[in-house]
Amino acid sequence: MTKRIHYCYLLTRTLPEGGCRYYVGIRTAPKYRTPESDSAYMGSGRAIRRAVKAHPGAFSKTILDVFDTREEARAMERALVGLETANSKWSYNLVTGGEDSGLASEETKARISAANLRRFEDPAEREKTGAASRSVWASLSPEEREAIGVKRGATNRRRYQDPAERKRHRAMLKERYADPDYKTRHAESVSNVNRSREGRARNSAGNLKRYANETPKQRAARIEKATERNRALAQDPAWLEKNAAAVRRPETRAKLSASERKLCEDPAERERRSARQLKRYANETPDQKAARRQAISEGRQRAKAERARVQREVQWILAALLLNKYAA
């Protein structure tokens, strides 16, 4: 069996005004082919492919080194193509080398961001892109989806180790959410996912997996942030009214009731809820305990008064019916 060859190469194009532009890449040569006989291959990057198409025959290819494994070729590319190279106006490399790093230059990030924003301003383009993404994702096996998720997670974790990258990402999100149209589209997209059982199950599984990998410090920070957000919502009259109106709808109440009944049929769920309540009661201060008991007492009194009012109304209706019957 013929062994495949992995090599690192350099493409150069001499400019009419002097100087040259270049591109560094790696290649796994097809079977029965040596690096020298693979001269037709000129790279897979978007910028270099456009340049080769725009300037046919203007590039010269130099084989820098040949390796037994692709990992060794990646290591050389990673050493040659750093951020300084990716930021250079003479380089066709848009990201750092090594395939697994993927750090783009600031100029490249700006161009990609501007192009994406222009493209997603068109509703038809957004729908087309979304349909294509859903189709591709649906065609993947669970193992392939899991592998993509792991790779994306590793990339994001590596990227967020850079304070400048975190700051840039927060600024980008803040700018996006300042646009009412974007907020509306995002809310609609989230609602569409949550309407399906598969979407809710997928989100739940992802959250549970993420929570399981949290450190105690991260978990405490997440809980504190969620608590602050809930407290702020509880003080917002508009949100309270909106939430109360949603709960008052018959279909919502029926759905909540069915969900609760289904959950409470599980002995483990009942035990978990009981343990959680006991733990919460054990951590209450005397003032909190008194306030809770007062709220329960007031709720029972209101319920009792409501039942008495309904009973009186029923009695009046029955009395009116009897009077009408005998009067006739």
Side-chain angles (χ1 to χ4, degrees), residues 119-120 122-136:
R119 185 167 65 251
F120 278 89
D122 182 7
E125 184 65 27
R126 289 198 303 270
E127 179 60 29
K128 179 181 176 182
T129 303
S133 298
R134 289 190 294 271
S135 176
V136 171

Side-chain angles (χ1 to χ4, degrees), residues 309-323:
R309 184 187 65 80
V310 172
Q311 187 175 4
R312 287 195 301 270
E313 288 183 357
V314 171
Q315 290 174 350
W316 278 107
I317 292 172
L318 291 176
L321 290 175
L322 288 173
L323 288 174

